[in-house]
Amino acid sequence: MSVELGHFALILAFCLTLPQAFFGLAGAVYRKPHWIALTRNAVVGHFVLTAVSFACLMHAFYVNDFSVLYVAQNSNSELPTIYRLAATWGAHEGSLLLWLLAQATWTLAVSIFSRSIPDVVTSRVLGVLGLISAGFALFILTTSSPFERLWPAAVDGRDLNPLLQDPGLIIHPPMQYIGYIGMSVPFAFAVAAMLEGKLDSVWARWVRPWTNVAWVFLTCGITLGSWWAYYELGWGGWWFWDAVENASFMPWLVGTALIHSLAVTEKRGLFKSWTLLLSITAFSLSVLGTFLVRSGVVESVHAFASDPGRGLFILTFLGLCAGSALGLYAWRAPLFRTNTGFAPVSRESFLLINNVLLVGATLLILLGTLYPMFLDALNLGKISVGPPYFDIAFLIPMLPMVVLLAPGMHAGWKKADFGRTKGLLLVLLAVSVVAGIALALVAYGWHSVMTVIGFSLAFWVGLSALVDPVSRLRKGHSLSAGVIGMSVAHFGLAVFVLGVATTQSYRQEMDLSLRPGQTAELSGFQFTMTKLSDVKGPNYEATEAEIRITRDGKEIAVLHPQKRIYRVQKNPMTEAGIDSGLTRHLLVSMGEPLGDGSWSLRLQYKPMVRFIWMGAFTMALGGLIAAFDRRYRKRVTADDAVAAADVKTV
Amino acid sequence: MTARQRRMLLVGLMVIGVGTAAAFALNAFQENLLYFYSPSDVSAGKAPADRTFRVGGMVTEGSFQRPAGSMEATFILTDFAHNVKVRYSGVLPDLFREGQGIVARGKLAPGGDFVAEEVLAKHDENYMPPDVADTLKKQHQKEAGGQ
């Protein structure tokens, strides 16, 4: 019964998106306050109904209602409760419902936290968001309903894919979706600005915190995904340039460009058209990512088994979103021309280069991701693009970007006069290069010039990020949250670069066979297999090895990697044993029994790999701090100022 | 130099920079394109001898061999028309087994064996790599047409 309720709530939720879109857009055109109020009510109603619908599906999982097809396919009575609940978004249909819920939450947030924005603008934004929600709700209802019944009901479910039975499932997809769909907010603001034909610094101030928060979620989502793949796939890679990873990375890159371009639009009223274009692109790439995942055109752990009808729907939706927004852009962009200029050496220039390079990196990744699909679609043969291409193609634009980041951070608006900072920067540069060479030689031994460049860049950016707020304080400026956030995010980038450079240069791995009592050595660590035993989990059986790791006779850790066989799906799963120190990970993954009592194992040494995720999370933290800058909460209109004063006197 | 000349010089340098970068990127793209061949293509000599490529098919039942305690495995990959013998040293993926569709990346050895650097199998028991499914379908049609 609850499932029918959920289905019904979803239909009603869809129905409410229509008045939300209509009254939102029309209310802004005809300036009717009660239409705008109606829009806000529709937003609340849509959110409540979507949440009810989602809760109903979750309830079906909780009570093991195997008369529901989706539950029967993705759950099992033996599955631990927490995974039963998370299984709600473990496959295509439910994850789309989560997507819709995320969209409804963003829309509600915009409706609630937009008191500093004129009603007319909010109304347009909510209207555009209503159209997007309508598209996704219709998609679920017509092609991917999770509420279909199975008759006769299954005795038990087919269980959740063992890969997904992990805490990562609880947190990675929601973060990722909230980030993806969060990009619809700057998109909606961009469309609203184009409809109104007005875009100024104030507009940028409205959009910036939303873009930041969406970007923060996207950053966390991607980072969690990388971390999850690292330990759960069991083979110790943190990024595979898989088509679906790329699909999530491209909106992130464009989103990063957008954050920087918005800074120029806010401070100097420049780059307006460019900012609009980035807003449109970031969201379009999010939808493109959905298309890649849902249509089954890519081979990937993420690709859900799916039918072409879904792909066609999303492609049409993408065409409508991007097409109409770009059409509007072509028509309206000339309105946003500005005549103010800036000197060749200025913060504007640095941010322009940053944007060009980020977009360049996105295009190169897009080429590598889509080219094989085009060839395949045109029947010109099956190819794939190897990860080394992405490594090189990504590095080409990113190296100059990271080099220029430090002077860019210290450059002034309009015309940068480095003055005294010039000496400081030169000192920092010299220190960074020396520190980079020293780290490479002393800590790890010579590897390659690229390693030294990587280390030096990490120090260069990290030190500049630390020095920037100090030099601002010295000049007598106070530090806004925006400035602190920028420093923190850039420092995070430095940590990330340090992690990547070290891991990629000095990681070691070895496949070998080992039986109890035997020892192998990797990077100065001795790995001894002390025993093999059978272990029984709630819904799996496993063979567990005990690996004692010592160094110079001193015990470092005892790891228990497992090879699991899940009872329902019979799939073997590798659970790596990881000893995670701050500066290095040691991984042991079990392959298979080799017949004479020994097992094939993969041993890995990953120096500084943790810094990769710590750096990425620090970037996210920086974005979050910047989003809470006080100036974004300031009321902007005279009326509002009066209202605020009134409240104060009361 | 006048301001105009300086600007032109700057633009010129940027064009050269972007051009070099693009050349590097496209070169990397060329070099890392991995072509996919079926066992039939390989036996017909269509696959390159000196370049890494991917080959996909089903692991023939009963063809998997590995001396006890050793990591050196060999198996036969088939599209039910032709076979390729694959050699691989290392840990095989969890879902590798006979009768399963897999994709291997590697090079041809002088004797005609395929030496794999990487073997991929999908985490789904019903899964067959699209490439393999395609090959099998074509093969099937050919057989049906021949009868």
mmCIF file of all heavy atoms in Angstrom, chain A residues 235 299-300 371 382-384 386 388-389 396 511 513 563 572-574 591-592 594 596 600, chain B residues 21 24-25 29 32-36 54 66 68-71 90-92 94-95 122 131 134:
data_model
loop_
_atom_site.group_PDB
_atom_site.id
_atom_site.type_symbol
_atom_site.label_atom_id
_atom_site.label_comp_id
_atom_site.label_asym_id
_atom_site.label_seq_id
_atom_site.Cartn_x
_atom_site.Cartn_y
_atom_site.Cartn_z
ATOM 1 N N TRP A 235 41.780 -2.643 -5.513
ATOM 2 C CA TRP A 235 43.041 -2.686 -6.240
ATOM 3 C C TRP A 235 43.839 -1.395 -6.162
ATOM 4 O O TRP A 235 44.792 -1.193 -6.916
ATOM 5 C CB TRP A 235 42.811 -3.104 -7.694
ATOM 6 C CG TRP A 235 42.062 -4.379 -7.749
ATOM 7 C CD1 TRP A 235 40.809 -4.565 -8.242
ATOM 8 C CD2 TRP A 235 42.475 -5.666 -7.257
ATOM 9 N NE1 TRP A 235 40.417 -5.872 -8.083
ATOM 10 C CE2 TRP A 235 41.420 -6.569 -7.487
ATOM 11 C CE3 TRP A 235 43.620 -6.134 -6.640
ATOM 12 C CZ2 TRP A 235 41.486 -7.907 -7.118
ATOM 13 C CZ3 TRP A 235 43.691 -7.473 -6.276
ATOM 14 C CH2 TRP A 235 42.640 -8.339 -6.519
ATOM 15 N N GLU A 299 31.015 1.647 -20.729
ATOM 16 C CA GLU A 299 31.301 0.480 -19.914
ATOM 17 C C GLU A 299 31.940 0.980 -18.638
ATOM 18 O O GLU A 299 32.977 1.621 -18.671
ATOM 19 C CB GLU A 299 32.321 -0.411 -20.616
ATOM 20 C CG GLU A 299 31.799 -1.096 -21.836
ATOM 21 C CD GLU A 299 32.902 -1.878 -22.530
ATOM 22 O OE1 GLU A 299 33.699 -2.523 -21.827
ATOM 23 O OE2 GLU A 299 32.962 -1.817 -23.756
ATOM 24 N N SER A 300 31.320 0.679 -17.509
ATOM 25 C CA SER A 300 31.846 1.227 -16.273
ATOM 26 C C SER A 300 31.180 0.546 -15.097
ATOM 27 O O SER A 300 30.100 -0.019 -15.232
ATOM 28 C CB SER A 300 31.555 2.721 -16.254
ATOM 29 O OG SER A 300 31.366 3.180 -14.954
ATOM 30 N N TYR A 371 34.829 10.794 -27.956
ATOM 31 C CA TYR A 371 35.305 10.341 -29.262
ATOM 32 C C TYR A 371 35.028 8.853 -29.511
ATOM 33 O O TYR A 371 34.485 8.501 -30.568
ATOM 34 C CB TYR A 371 36.800 10.659 -29.382
ATOM 35 C CG TYR A 371 37.410 10.336 -30.723
ATOM 36 C CD1 TYR A 371 37.065 11.078 -31.851
ATOM 37 C CD2 TYR A 371 38.316 9.297 -30.864
ATOM 38 C CE1 TYR A 371 37.619 10.775 -33.079
ATOM 39 C CE2 TYR A 371 38.880 8.994 -32.091
ATOM 40 C CZ TYR A 371 38.525 9.739 -33.194
ATOM 41 O OH TYR A 371 39.082 9.444 -34.410
ATOM 42 N N LYS A 382 35.558 0.056 -32.865
ATOM 43 C CA LYS A 382 35.507 0.204 -31.419
ATOM 44 C C LYS A 382 36.887 0.549 -30.898
ATOM 45 O O LYS A 382 37.837 -0.178 -31.111
ATOM 46 C CB LYS A 382 35.034 -1.097 -30.793
ATOM 47 C CG LYS A 382 33.573 -1.358 -31.077
ATOM 48 C CD LYS A 382 33.063 -2.528 -30.286
ATOM 49 C CE LYS A 382 31.617 -2.787 -30.594
ATOM 50 N NZ LYS A 382 30.769 -1.635 -30.237
ATOM 51 N N ILE A 383 36.975 1.668 -30.241
ATOM 52 C CA ILE A 383 38.255 2.033 -29.651
ATOM 53 C C ILE A 383 38.007 2.509 -28.233
ATOM 54 O O ILE A 383 36.879 2.765 -27.831
ATOM 55 C CB ILE A 383 38.960 3.157 -30.426
ATOM 56 C CG1 ILE A 383 38.087 4.405 -30.420
ATOM 57 C CG2 ILE A 383 39.287 2.755 -31.825
ATOM 58 C CD1 ILE A 383 38.879 5.660 -30.576
ATOM 59 N N SER A 384 39.041 2.602 -27.473
ATOM 60 C CA SER A 384 38.938 3.306 -26.204
ATOM 61 C C SER A 384 40.181 4.163 -26.086
ATOM 62 O O SER A 384 41.171 3.939 -26.769
ATOM 63 C CB SER A 384 38.820 2.328 -25.043
ATOM 64 O OG SER A 384 39.969 1.530 -24.984
ATOM 65 N N GLY A 386 43.138 5.376 -23.802
ATOM 66 C CA GLY A 386 43.842 4.910 -22.611
ATOM 67 C C GLY A 386 44.068 6.018 -21.598
ATOM 68 O O GLY A 386 44.197 7.184 -21.959
ATOM 69 N N PRO A 388 46.672 7.013 -20.069
ATOM 70 C CA PRO A 388 47.837 7.900 -20.236
ATOM 71 C C PRO A 388 47.493 9.178 -21.015
ATOM 72 O O PRO A 388 48.041 10.245 -20.735
ATOM 73 C CB PRO A 388 48.825 7.040 -21.029
ATOM 74 C CG PRO A 388 48.449 5.650 -20.723
ATOM 75 C CD PRO A 388 46.971 5.648 -20.517
ATOM 76 N N TYR A 389 46.541 9.065 -21.968
ATOM 77 C CA TYR A 389 46.144 10.276 -22.693
ATOM 78 C C TYR A 389 45.614 11.310 -21.714
ATOM 79 O O TYR A 389 46.002 12.483 -21.749
ATOM 80 C CB TYR A 389 45.071 9.970 -23.744
ATOM 81 C CG TYR A 389 44.293 11.210 -24.154
ATOM 82 C CD1 TYR A 389 44.888 12.193 -24.932
ATOM 83 C CD2 TYR A 389 42.993 11.422 -23.713
ATOM 84 C CE1 TYR A 389 44.211 13.350 -25.273
ATOM 85 C CE2 TYR A 389 42.299 12.568 -24.047
ATOM 86 C CZ TYR A 389 42.905 13.538 -24.821
ATOM 87 O OH TYR A 389 42.237 14.679 -25.143
ATOM 88 N N ILE A 396 48.760 19.201 -19.234
ATOM 89 C CA ILE A 396 49.193 20.307 -20.101
ATOM 90 C C ILE A 396 48.554 21.641 -19.683
ATOM 91 O O ILE A 396 49.265 22.613 -19.455
ATOM 92 C CB ILE A 396 48.937 19.992 -21.584
ATOM 93 C CG1 ILE A 396 49.886 18.867 -22.027
ATOM 94 C CG2 ILE A 396 49.148 21.213 -22.462
ATOM 95 C CD1 ILE A 396 49.609 18.351 -23.423
ATOM 96 N N ASP A 511 52.613 -8.270 -7.631
ATOM 97 C CA ASP A 511 51.721 -9.435 -7.582
ATOM 98 C C ASP A 511 52.590 -10.642 -7.283
ATOM 99 O O ASP A 511 53.618 -10.827 -7.922
ATOM 100 C CB ASP A 511 51.037 -9.662 -8.941
ATOM 101 C CG ASP A 511 49.936 -8.661 -9.197
ATOM 102 O OD1 ASP A 511 49.746 -7.767 -8.358
ATOM 103 O OD2 ASP A 511 49.262 -8.769 -10.237
ATOM 104 N N SER A 513 52.690 -14.905 -5.247
ATOM 105 C CA SER A 513 51.963 -15.956 -4.540
ATOM 106 C C SER A 513 52.617 -16.158 -3.188
ATOM 107 O O SER A 513 53.840 -16.063 -3.048
ATOM 108 C CB SER A 513 51.985 -17.249 -5.351
ATOM 109 O OG SER A 513 53.246 -17.850 -5.269
ATOM 110 N N LYS A 563 38.682 -12.374 0.939
ATOM 111 C CA LYS A 563 38.006 -12.638 -0.341
ATOM 112 C C LYS A 563 36.629 -13.138 0.037
ATOM 113 O O LYS A 563 36.495 -14.183 0.668
ATOM 114 C CB LYS A 563 38.791 -13.687 -1.131
ATOM 115 C CG LYS A 563 38.162 -14.048 -2.444
ATOM 116 C CD LYS A 563 38.154 -12.891 -3.404
ATOM 117 C CE LYS A 563 39.405 -12.861 -4.255
ATOM 118 N NZ LYS A 563 39.467 -11.722 -5.160
ATOM 119 N N PRO A 572 32.308 -13.064 -6.070
ATOM 120 C CA PRO A 572 33.443 -12.856 -5.172
ATOM 121 C C PRO A 572 33.755 -11.367 -5.067
ATOM 122 O O PRO A 572 33.547 -10.610 -6.015
ATOM 123 C CB PRO A 572 34.589 -13.599 -5.859
ATOM 124 C CG PRO A 572 34.131 -13.937 -7.215
ATOM 125 C CD PRO A 572 32.718 -13.543 -7.388
ATOM 126 N N MET A 573 34.215 -10.972 -3.913
ATOM 127 C CA MET A 573 34.548 -9.561 -3.694
ATOM 128 C C MET A 573 35.870 -9.483 -2.955
ATOM 129 O O MET A 573 36.106 -10.252 -2.032
ATOM 130 C CB MET A 573 33.497 -8.914 -2.797
ATOM 131 C CG MET A 573 32.294 -8.402 -3.517
ATOM 132 S SD MET A 573 32.680 -6.920 -4.408
ATOM 133 C CE MET A 573 33.419 -5.954 -3.114
ATOM 134 N N THR A 574 36.689 -8.534 -3.349
ATOM 135 C CA THR A 574 37.976 -8.372 -2.689
ATOM 136 C C THR A 574 37.893 -7.257 -1.660
ATOM 137 O O THR A 574 37.553 -6.127 -2.015
ATOM 138 C CB THR A 574 39.047 -8.010 -3.732
ATOM 139 O OG1 THR A 574 38.980 -8.975 -4.766
ATOM 140 C CG2 THR A 574 40.415 -8.006 -3.124
ATOM 141 N N GLY A 591 43.993 -12.283 -4.295
ATOM 142 C CA GLY A 591 43.543 -12.685 -5.629
ATOM 143 C C GLY A 591 42.734 -13.963 -5.546
ATOM 144 O O GLY A 591 41.564 -13.935 -5.220
ATOM 145 N N GLU A 592 43.399 -15.108 -5.786
ATOM 146 C CA GLU A 592 42.659 -16.365 -5.693
ATOM 147 C C GLU A 592 43.599 -17.469 -5.220
ATOM 148 O O GLU A 592 44.812 -17.308 -5.248
ATOM 149 C CB GLU A 592 42.056 -16.726 -7.044
ATOM 150 C CG GLU A 592 43.107 -16.964 -8.111
ATOM 151 C CD GLU A 592 43.041 -15.928 -9.202
ATOM 152 O OE1 GLU A 592 42.139 -16.036 -10.023
ATOM 153 O OE2 GLU A 592 43.898 -15.032 -9.234
ATOM 154 N N LEU A 594 45.825 -20.661 -5.376
ATOM 155 C CA LEU A 594 46.612 -21.135 -6.521
ATOM 156 C C LEU A 594 46.782 -22.655 -6.530
ATOM 157 O O LEU A 594 47.566 -23.196 -7.283
ATOM 158 C CB LEU A 594 47.983 -20.455 -6.528
ATOM 159 C CG LEU A 594 47.926 -18.955 -6.784
ATOM 160 C CD1 LEU A 594 49.302 -18.333 -6.641
ATOM 161 C CD2 LEU A 594 47.366 -18.665 -8.174
ATOM 162 N N ASP A 596 48.030 -24.949 -4.364
ATOM 163 C CA ASP A 596 48.934 -25.693 -3.486
ATOM 164 C C ASP A 596 48.965 -25.076 -2.090
ATOM 165 O O ASP A 596 49.966 -25.128 -1.395
ATOM 166 C CB ASP A 596 50.344 -25.698 -4.074
ATOM 167 C CG ASP A 596 50.880 -24.282 -4.217
ATOM 168 O OD1 ASP A 596 50.063 -23.331 -4.149
ATOM 169 O OD2 ASP A 596 52.103 -24.108 -4.377
ATOM 170 N N SER A 600 47.301 -15.949 -4.566
ATOM 171 C CA SER A 600 47.902 -14.815 -5.267
ATOM 172 C C SER A 600 47.508 -13.553 -4.504
ATOM 173 O O SER A 600 46.367 -13.400 -4.072
ATOM 174 C CB SER A 600 47.424 -14.745 -6.716
ATOM 175 O OG SER A 600 46.055 -14.499 -6.792
ATOM 176 N N ALA B 21 50.872 23.212 -27.018
ATOM 177 C CA ALA B 21 50.109 22.419 -26.057
ATOM 178 C C ALA B 21 49.133 21.508 -26.786
ATOM 179 O O ALA B 21 49.029 20.315 -26.493
ATOM 180 C CB ALA B 21 49.362 23.343 -25.093
ATOM 181 N N PHE B 24 50.919 18.608 -28.415
ATOM 182 C CA PHE B 24 51.259 17.582 -27.428
ATOM 183 C C PHE B 24 50.036 16.751 -27.080
ATOM 184 O O PHE B 24 50.087 15.513 -27.030
ATOM 185 C CB PHE B 24 51.798 18.235 -26.143
ATOM 186 C CG PHE B 24 53.283 18.426 -26.156
ATOM 187 C CD1 PHE B 24 53.839 19.693 -26.116
ATOM 188 C CD2 PHE B 24 54.133 17.326 -26.202
ATOM 189 C CE1 PHE B 24 55.199 19.879 -26.127
ATOM 190 C CE2 PHE B 24 55.508 17.496 -26.213
ATOM 191 C CZ PHE B 24 56.050 18.780 -26.176
ATOM 192 N N ALA B 25 48.920 17.449 -26.820
ATOM 193 C CA ALA B 25 47.706 16.756 -26.397
ATOM 194 C C ALA B 25 47.226 15.808 -27.488
ATOM 195 O O ALA B 25 46.895 14.655 -27.226
ATOM 196 C CB ALA B 25 46.618 17.766 -26.052
ATOM 197 N N PHE B 29 46.869 11.793 -27.614
ATOM 198 C CA PHE B 29 45.592 11.181 -27.987
ATOM 199 C C PHE B 29 45.822 10.067 -29.005
ATOM 200 O O PHE B 29 45.367 8.946 -28.828
ATOM 201 C CB PHE B 29 44.702 12.285 -28.576
ATOM 202 C CG PHE B 29 43.305 11.843 -28.868
ATOM 203 C CD1 PHE B 29 42.439 11.518 -27.837
ATOM 204 C CD2 PHE B 29 42.849 11.775 -30.168
ATOM 205 C CE1 PHE B 29 41.149 11.122 -28.103
ATOM 206 C CE2 PHE B 29 41.559 11.375 -30.444
ATOM 207 C CZ PHE B 29 40.706 11.051 -29.413
ATOM 208 N N ASN B 32 47.475 6.953 -27.559
ATOM 209 C CA ASN B 32 46.777 6.181 -26.549
ATOM 210 C C ASN B 32 45.427 5.650 -27.002
ATOM 211 O O ASN B 32 44.639 5.192 -26.189
ATOM 212 C CB ASN B 32 46.626 7.001 -25.273
ATOM 213 C CG ASN B 32 47.947 7.122 -24.560
ATOM 214 O OD1 ASN B 32 48.485 6.142 -24.081
ATOM 215 N ND2 ASN B 32 48.506 8.325 -24.550
ATOM 216 N N LEU B 33 45.167 5.747 -28.297
ATOM 217 C CA LEU B 33 43.944 5.132 -28.794
ATOM 218 C C LEU B 33 44.118 3.620 -28.751
ATOM 219 O O LEU B 33 45.082 3.082 -29.268
ATOM 220 C CB LEU B 33 43.680 5.567 -30.243
ATOM 221 C CG LEU B 33 43.131 6.960 -30.437
ATOM 222 C CD1 LEU B 33 42.818 7.189 -31.903
ATOM 223 C CD2 LEU B 33 41.883 7.157 -29.609
ATOM 224 N N LEU B 34 43.205 2.946 -28.081
ATOM 225 C CA LEU B 34 43.267 1.493 -28.006
ATOM 226 C C LEU B 34 42.182 0.924 -28.902
ATOM 227 O O LEU B 34 41.007 1.190 -28.697
ATOM 228 C CB LEU B 34 43.016 1.029 -26.572
ATOM 229 C CG LEU B 34 44.118 1.248 -25.552
ATOM 230 C CD1 LEU B 34 43.615 0.846 -24.189
ATOM 231 C CD2 LEU B 34 45.334 0.436 -25.935
ATOM 232 N N TYR B 35 42.587 0.149 -29.883
ATOM 233 C CA TYR B 35 41.587 -0.439 -30.769
ATOM 234 C C TYR B 35 41.115 -1.764 -30.205
ATOM 235 O O TYR B 35 41.852 -2.444 -29.485
ATOM 236 C CB TYR B 35 42.155 -0.621 -32.170
ATOM 237 C CG TYR B 35 42.349 0.703 -32.855
ATOM 238 C CD1 TYR B 35 43.515 1.438 -32.656
ATOM 239 C CD2 TYR B 35 41.352 1.240 -33.658
ATOM 240 C CE1 TYR B 35 43.680 2.676 -33.248
ATOM 241 C CE2 TYR B 35 41.505 2.468 -34.260
ATOM 242 C CZ TYR B 35 42.680 3.181 -34.048
ATOM 243 O OH TYR B 35 42.822 4.412 -34.635
ATOM 244 N N PHE B 36 39.904 -2.123 -30.538
ATOM 245 C CA PHE B 36 39.324 -3.362 -30.044
ATOM 246 C C PHE B 36 39.209 -4.357 -31.189
ATOM 247 O O PHE B 36 38.724 -4.019 -32.266
ATOM 248 C CB PHE B 36 37.932 -3.083 -29.468
ATOM 249 C CG PHE B 36 37.228 -4.311 -28.994
ATOM 250 C CD1 PHE B 36 37.391 -4.768 -27.694
ATOM 251 C CD2 PHE B 36 36.398 -5.032 -29.843
ATOM 252 C CE1 PHE B 36 36.745 -5.907 -27.257
ATOM 253 C CE2 PHE B 36 35.761 -6.178 -29.419
ATOM 254 C CZ PHE B 36 35.937 -6.616 -28.124
ATOM 255 N N ARG B 54 43.065 -4.087 -27.519
ATOM 256 C CA ARG B 54 42.203 -4.867 -26.639
ATOM 257 C C ARG B 54 41.553 -5.980 -27.428
ATOM 258 O O ARG B 54 41.204 -5.811 -28.603
ATOM 259 C CB ARG B 54 41.118 -3.996 -26.019
ATOM 260 C CG ARG B 54 41.660 -2.902 -25.108
ATOM 261 C CD ARG B 54 40.544 -2.186 -24.401
ATOM 262 N NE ARG B 54 39.547 -1.725 -25.365
ATOM 263 C CZ ARG B 54 38.272 -1.557 -25.078
ATOM 264 N NH1 ARG B 54 37.819 -1.821 -23.867
ATOM 265 N NH2 ARG B 54 37.439 -1.127 -25.990
ATOM 266 N N ARG B 66 46.958 -23.174 -15.093
ATOM 267 C CA ARG B 66 47.929 -22.447 -14.290
ATOM 268 C C ARG B 66 48.591 -23.466 -13.375
ATOM 269 O O ARG B 66 47.914 -24.092 -12.559
ATOM 270 C CB ARG B 66 47.250 -21.362 -13.468
ATOM 271 C CG ARG B 66 48.223 -20.542 -12.655
ATOM 272 C CD ARG B 66 47.574 -19.327 -12.051
ATOM 273 N NE ARG B 66 46.387 -19.690 -11.279
ATOM 274 C CZ ARG B 66 45.518 -18.800 -10.788
ATOM 275 N NH1 ARG B 66 45.692 -17.528 -11.029
ATOM 276 N NH2 ARG B 66 44.482 -19.199 -10.095
ATOM 277 N N ALA B 68 50.197 -25.196 -10.271
ATOM 278 C CA ALA B 68 49.935 -24.918 -8.861
ATOM 279 C C ALA B 68 51.021 -24.019 -8.287
ATOM 280 O O ALA B 68 52.207 -24.229 -8.520
ATOM 281 C CB ALA B 68 49.870 -26.230 -8.072
ATOM 282 N N GLY B 69 50.596 -22.994 -7.562
ATOM 283 C CA GLY B 69 51.541 -22.102 -6.904
ATOM 284 C C GLY B 69 52.140 -21.052 -7.822
ATOM 285 O O GLY B 69 52.882 -20.189 -7.384
ATOM 286 N N SER B 70 51.796 -21.096 -9.102
ATOM 287 C CA SER B 70 52.374 -20.133 -10.035
ATOM 288 C C SER B 70 51.368 -19.032 -10.359
ATOM 289 O O SER B 70 50.176 -19.190 -10.156
ATOM 290 C CB SER B 70 52.783 -20.855 -11.316
ATOM 291 O OG SER B 70 52.859 -19.940 -12.385
ATOM 292 N N MET B 71 51.858 -17.914 -10.843
ATOM 293 C CA MET B 71 50.968 -16.817 -11.224
ATOM 294 C C MET B 71 50.781 -16.763 -12.732
ATOM 295 O O MET B 71 50.072 -15.919 -13.246
ATOM 296 C CB MET B 71 51.568 -15.480 -10.772
ATOM 297 C CG MET B 71 51.913 -15.407 -9.317
ATOM 298 S SD MET B 71 50.503 -14.966 -8.323
ATOM 299 C CE MET B 71 50.280 -13.274 -8.817
ATOM 300 N N GLY B 90 49.708 -12.481 -13.092
ATOM 301 C CA GLY B 90 49.248 -11.516 -12.105
ATOM 302 C C GLY B 90 47.926 -11.937 -11.506
ATOM 303 O O GLY B 90 47.453 -13.053 -11.730
ATOM 304 N N VAL B 91 47.341 -11.033 -10.745
ATOM 305 C CA VAL B 91 46.078 -11.318 -10.075
ATOM 306 C C VAL B 91 44.937 -11.124 -11.070
ATOM 307 O O VAL B 91 44.838 -10.071 -11.698
ATOM 308 C CB VAL B 91 45.901 -10.386 -8.860
ATOM 309 C CG1 VAL B 91 44.546 -10.594 -8.239
ATOM 310 C CG2 VAL B 91 47.001 -10.656 -7.837
ATOM 311 N N LEU B 92 44.099 -12.136 -11.208
ATOM 312 C CA LEU B 92 42.968 -12.026 -12.132
ATOM 313 C C LEU B 92 41.795 -11.346 -11.434
ATOM 314 O O LEU B 92 41.685 -11.397 -10.209
ATOM 315 C CB LEU B 92 42.555 -13.432 -12.598
ATOM 316 C CG LEU B 92 43.523 -14.057 -13.611
ATOM 317 C CD1 LEU B 92 43.320 -15.552 -13.682
ATOM 318 C CD2 LEU B 92 43.338 -13.425 -14.985
ATOM 319 N N ASP B 94 38.082 -10.524 -9.897
ATOM 320 C CA ASP B 94 37.194 -11.375 -9.116
ATOM 321 C C ASP B 94 36.262 -12.213 -9.976
ATOM 322 O O ASP B 94 35.965 -13.348 -9.655
ATOM 323 C CB ASP B 94 36.339 -10.503 -8.182
ATOM 324 C CG ASP B 94 37.163 -9.999 -7.008
ATOM 325 O OD1 ASP B 94 38.185 -10.635 -6.709
ATOM 326 O OD2 ASP B 94 36.792 -8.987 -6.409
ATOM 327 N N LEU B 95 35.759 -11.628 -11.037
ATOM 328 C CA LEU B 95 34.732 -12.333 -11.794
ATOM 329 C C LEU B 95 35.291 -13.115 -12.965
ATOM 330 O O LEU B 95 34.554 -13.546 -13.844
ATOM 331 C CB LEU B 95 33.663 -11.350 -12.289
ATOM 332 C CG LEU B 95 32.675 -10.975 -11.203
ATOM 333 C CD1 LEU B 95 31.551 -10.160 -11.771
ATOM 334 C CD2 LEU B 95 32.114 -12.227 -10.534
ATOM 335 N N LYS B 122 33.460 -7.807 -15.720
ATOM 336 C CA LYS B 122 32.524 -6.878 -15.097
ATOM 337 C C LYS B 122 31.928 -7.469 -13.825
ATOM 338 O O LYS B 122 31.743 -8.666 -13.714
ATOM 339 C CB LYS B 122 31.425 -6.563 -16.105
ATOM 340 C CG LYS B 122 30.316 -5.708 -15.576
ATOM 341 C CD LYS B 122 30.562 -4.256 -15.815
ATOM 342 C CE LYS B 122 29.332 -3.472 -15.357
ATOM 343 N NZ LYS B 122 29.348 -2.117 -15.751
ATOM 344 N N ASP B 131 31.184 -4.973 -26.342
ATOM 345 C CA ASP B 131 32.025 -5.326 -27.480
ATOM 346 C C ASP B 131 31.888 -6.805 -27.805
ATOM 347 O O ASP B 131 31.750 -7.208 -28.950
ATOM 348 C CB ASP B 131 33.494 -5.045 -27.147
ATOM 349 C CG ASP B 131 33.730 -3.569 -26.896
ATOM 350 O OD1 ASP B 131 32.893 -2.781 -27.366
ATOM 351 O OD2 ASP B 131 34.716 -3.230 -26.246
ATOM 352 N N ASP B 134 28.501 -7.764 -29.115
ATOM 353 C CA ASP B 134 28.422 -7.347 -30.506
ATOM 354 C C ASP B 134 29.065 -8.377 -31.429
ATOM 355 O O ASP B 134 28.501 -8.778 -32.442
ATOM 356 C CB ASP B 134 29.173 -6.025 -30.625
ATOM 357 C CG ASP B 134 28.437 -5.055 -31.500
ATOM 358 O OD1 ASP B 134 27.212 -4.924 -31.274
ATOM 359 O OD2 ASP B 134 29.083 -4.475 -32.387
#
